[in-house]
Amino acid sequence: ETGVTQTPRHLVMGMTNKKSLKCEQHLGHNAMYWYKQSAKKPLELMFVYSLEERVENNSVPSRFSPECPNSSHLFLHLHTLQPEDSALYLCASSQDLSWAGGEQYFGPGTRLTVT
Amino acid sequence: KNEVEQSPQNLTAQEGEFITINCSYSVGISALHWLQQHPGGGIVSLFMLSSGKKKHGRLIATINIQEKHSSLHITASHPRDSAVYICAAVYGGSQGNLIFGKGTKLSVKP
């Protein structure tokens, strides 16, 4: 398998549930990212990991908890979400942590609906 | 405030037309990205540029640092070009903030 994969592609969860989103990159990249895309809003960067170390947390509520066990895998653990958290969650990777140095490769996204 | 503005918000074109999408930003940046998002969500990085012009197939991206403006051009447009085109500016150095525009939704009719 090549590129950046995400599972599941669709997820419906209640506000009291706990679920996890998974991202895997097969590109040998060192940096991985979580983005949120809500309807009618620009993409928002949530978390950045470089060599498995979190380097950015853009004021994201604690009900979102990232985990990067190794440079190929990234998880987003979800608990007690709110309906306004319904969005498309995109994972991306890049060779290095430099937005001015190269392109990012995106996964297909997980469409999350919180009921 | 670091902002990225795109225009137009929506664009409908006939197959074969030359298309221009604009992106402007508020202060100095270190780079600018153009992304393409197809229905269903998948995003593809088209260009990353910090000066001048880049070309890939029928796509051309230009940036004017003095005018704080970038354009994405599509020549001989095709229905498969229908997508949302997003620009994103890198503020504050190469590892600074990445600020996204709201996107331009392009629809190319056969």
Side-chain angles (χ1 to χ4, degrees):
Chain A
E1 195 150 13
T2 59
V4 181
T5 58
Q6 288 186 243
T7 55
R9 294 294 309 276
H10 296 87
L11 178 62
V12 179
M13 60 186 287
M15 289 190 282
T16 57
N17 291 159
K18 287 185 183 180
K19 296 286 183 184
S20 295
L21 310 185
K22 180 183 175 183
C23 175
E24 186 172 358
Q25 57 99 359
H26 309 268
L27 301 166
H29 287 168
N30 294 319
M32 295 186 77
Y33 312 81
W34 278 118
Y35 291 93
K36 176 184 177 183
Q37 188 177 40
S38 304
K40 312 255 186 241
K41 285 188 176 181
L43 271 164
E44 299 169 60
L45 179 65
M46 299 176 74
F47 300 105
V48 181
Y49 276 83
S50 176
L51 296 170
E52 300 134 52
E53 192 175 318
R54 191 191 309 182
V55 296
E56 182 105 13
N57 175 351
N58 272 354
S59 304
V60 179
S62 59
R63 57 185 183 269
F64 295 92
S65 174
E67 179 192 359
C68 187
N70 55 63
S71 60
S72 299
H73 293 85
L74 186 64
F75 294 89
L76 188 62
H77 304 299
L78 316 170
H79 63 99
T80 59
L81 294 192
Q82 305 297 311
E84 59 264 28
D85 297 322
S86 299
L88 180 69
Y89 289 85
L90 290 151
C91 172
S93 71
S94 62
Q95 184 60 56
D96 295 298
L97 183 60
S98 171
W99 285 302
E103 57 186 86
Q104 295 199 2
Y105 293 77
F106 285 82
T110 295
R111 177 72 61 185
L112 173 67
T113 303
V114 181
T115 61
Chain B
K1 185 181 173 186
N2 298 335
E3 290 184 335
V4 175
E5 298 286 339
Q6 284 188 240
S7 63
Q9 212 170 343
N10 293 281
L11 180 57
T12 300
Q14 285 300 125
E15 184 173 355
E17 284 185 4
F18 180 83
I19 287 161
T20 296
I21 298 170
N22 298 298
C23 177
S24 60
Y25 47 92
S26 54
V27 293
I29 63 172
S30 52
L32 187 132
H33 293 256
W34 280 102
L35 309 169
Q36 179 192 56
Q37 185 172 29
H38 278 283
I43 293 180
V44 174
S45 180
L46 298 175
F47 297 103
M48 193 278 297
L49 66 166
S50 53
S51 64
K53 175 179 169 178
K54 286 191 176 180
K55 184 176 190 291
H56 185 253
R58 295 179 296 105
L59 301 177
I60 303 166
T62 63
I63 189 167
N64 185 317
I65 301 297
Q66 287 75 27
E67 293 186 7
K68 299 186 180 58
H69 180 267
S70 176
S71 292
L72 177 69
H73 306 286
I74 305 175
T75 61
S77 60
H78 190 276
R80 65 174 174 265
D81 297 325
S82 299
V84 175
Y85 292 84
I86 301 168
C87 77
V90 184
Y91 288 96
S94 63
Q95 294 184 25
N97 266 339
L98 189 61
I99 307 296
F100 291 86
K102 290 185 178 180
T104 294
K105 185 174 182 180
L106 171 65
S107 178
V108 182
K109 307 291 186 191

